[in-house]
Amino acid sequence: MQQTFVKFTLPAGTYIHANEMREAVAKGLDGQMFQSKPGLFNYLTETKTNCNRPENRFIGGLGWVGFVSDNDPLMTTQVVAPAISFLMGKGFSPDTRVGEKDKRAVLTDEPNVYRLTGLVDQRDKRRESETGVVESAADLVKRHVIAMFEVAFDKGVIDSPFTDDDLNIMVLESRRSGESVKFRNGGQKAVAKVRATFAMQVRLEGIWQAGHLQSRGYGLVYSVNKGKYTQCPI
């Protein structure tokens, strides 16, 4: 799969959440490209979200923020101008880079270490209270990483499904917290948020995310090299 991205590099130590830029870009496009907004922002209509894994996603981390589109370069070009306007309004003159990545996953003999930043699970609190079962952070990570590869197979990123034995996921450390997320209709929902480091026998290339609310930048997967330095995916 060919991914197109734009990355805005910010001053060292600066953090802007990807969803903040997503909202700013939406305001910047009002009345200009209305017909493109549902797909760009993961909406089926102006009020109904698309529950499938989004192809267009705002992403970011410490010192950078950006946008990635799977298979649609035109989406990326629409983001650049309003994003730069938003960042300049905050006093930044970002270094801007537009590029492409091949999204791939290759099974390996040795484990590869990754870090998940802010994986979100839109848990059903009523179901949890009825069953008395609350998934551990490690179980959440495994479930969503497995689902990530199921989606990759459905979209043709990998040629055949990966089994649990193929992946051999080992959660090395994880931390779960609760968070309240606001939606466009004014509603809010409690979600579980997990940060984790895990290993699996897969080498990832390109930009990968796991969990829910990916269009807002949650669940970005970083590779960790042997020196334990986290490597930015773009």
Side-chain angles (χ1 to χ4, degrees), residues 32 42 55 128 151:
Q32 299 177 38
N42 199 39
E55 294 188 344
E128 287 185 354
V151 172

Side-chain angles (χ1 to χ4, degrees), residues 162-173:
F162 290 166
T163 66
D164 291 356
D165 288 339
D166 288 332
L167 296 171
N168 192 21
I169 300 170
M170 297 167 285
V171 180
L172 306 176
E173 59 179 355

Side-chain angles (χ1 to χ4, degrees), residues 72-137:
D72 194 345
L74 292 179
M75 289 292 186
T76 303
T77 60
Q78 294 178 18
V79 169
V80 175
I84 290 177
S85 177
F86 160 67
L87 293 171
M88 291 185 70
K90 295 180 77 69
F92 303 121
S93 298
D95 177 56
T96 303
R97 181 166 65 94
V98 177
E100 294 181 343
K101 285 273 189 179
D102 284 322
K103 186 176 184 179
R104 301 176 61 214
V106 181
L107 294 173
T108 59
D109 294 330
E110 298 296 324
N112 301 274
V113 181
Y114 297 94
R115 188 162 292 147
L116 266 169
T117 60
L119 179 148
V120 162
D121 180 79
Q122 290 182 269
R123 64 188 181 189
D124 188 331
K125 294 189 69 175
R126 183 176 62 181
R127 186 184 68 235
E128 287 185 354
S129 63
E130 290 174 350
T131 63
V133 176
V134 178
E135 275 186 296
S136 67

Side-chain angles (χ1 to χ4, degrees), residues 20-228:
E20 184 180 352
M21 191 174 78
R22 178 176 179 264
E23 293 176 351
V25 170
K27 292 177 182 178
L29 291 177
D30 273 343
Q32 299 177 38
M33 300 179 182
F34 177 84
Q35 72 277 8
S36 71
K37 286 176 65 176
L40 185 63
F41 300 104
N42 199 39
Y43 277 83
L44 292 173
T45 67
E46 276 293 283
T47 57
K48 185 177 180 181
T49 58
N50 183 356
C51 293
N52 294 325
R53 296 294 188 260
E55 294 188 344
N56 304 298
R57 306 174 306 277
F58 290 81
I59 57 178
L62 188 63
W64 70 280
V65 70
F67 175 85
V68 59
S69 180
D70 299 336
N71 296 322
D72 194 345
L74 292 179
M75 289 292 186
T76 303
T77 60
Q78 294 178 18
V79 169
V80 175
I84 290 177
S85 177
F86 160 67
L87 293 171
M88 291 185 70
K90 295 180 77 69
F92 303 121
S93 298
D95 177 56
T96 303
R97 181 166 65 94
V98 177
E100 294 181 343
K101 285 273 189 179
D102 284 322
K103 186 176 184 179
R104 301 176 61 214
V106 181
L107 294 173
T108 59
D109 294 330
E110 298 296 324
N112 301 274
V113 181
Y114 297 94
R115 188 162 292 147
L116 266 169
T117 60
L119 179 148
V120 162
D121 180 79
Q122 290 182 269
R123 64 188 181 189
D124 188 331
K125 294 189 69 175
R126 183 176 62 181
R127 186 184 68 235
E128 287 185 354
S129 63
E130 290 174 350
T131 63
V133 176
V134 178
E135 275 186 296
S136 67
D139 287 341
L140 278 174
V141 170
K142 289 181 179 179
R143 177 163 61 85
H144 282 293
V145 171
I146 289 170
M148 180 178 76
F149 288 112
E150 290 172 349
V151 172
F153 172 66
D154 291 341
K155 292 186 175 182
V157 177
I158 56 178
D159 295 328
S160 58
F162 290 166
T163 66
D164 291 356
D165 288 339
D166 288 332
L167 296 171
N168 192 21
I169 300 170
M170 297 167 285
V171 180
L172 306 176
E173 59 179 355
S174 58
R175 183 179 65 189
R176 171 176 171 159
S177 61
E179 188 167 311
S180 181
V181 176
K182 295 181 180 180
F183 293 91
R184 188 175 181 182
N185 61 8
Q188 296 188 27
K189 186 171 185 178
V191 300
K193 187 176 179 182
V194 176
R195 295 180 180 275
T197 302
F198 67 99
M200 61 182 177
Q201 291 179 220
V202 183
R203 185 180 74 250
L204 299 179
E205 299 177 12
I207 302 162
W208 291 77
Q209 287 169 267
H212 301 142
L213 302 182
Q214 293 180 17
S215 64
R216 299 179 178 213
Y218 291 103
L220 194 61
V221 180
Y222 289 78
S223 62
V224 180
N225 64 21
K226 294 182 178 179
K228 296 185 179 181

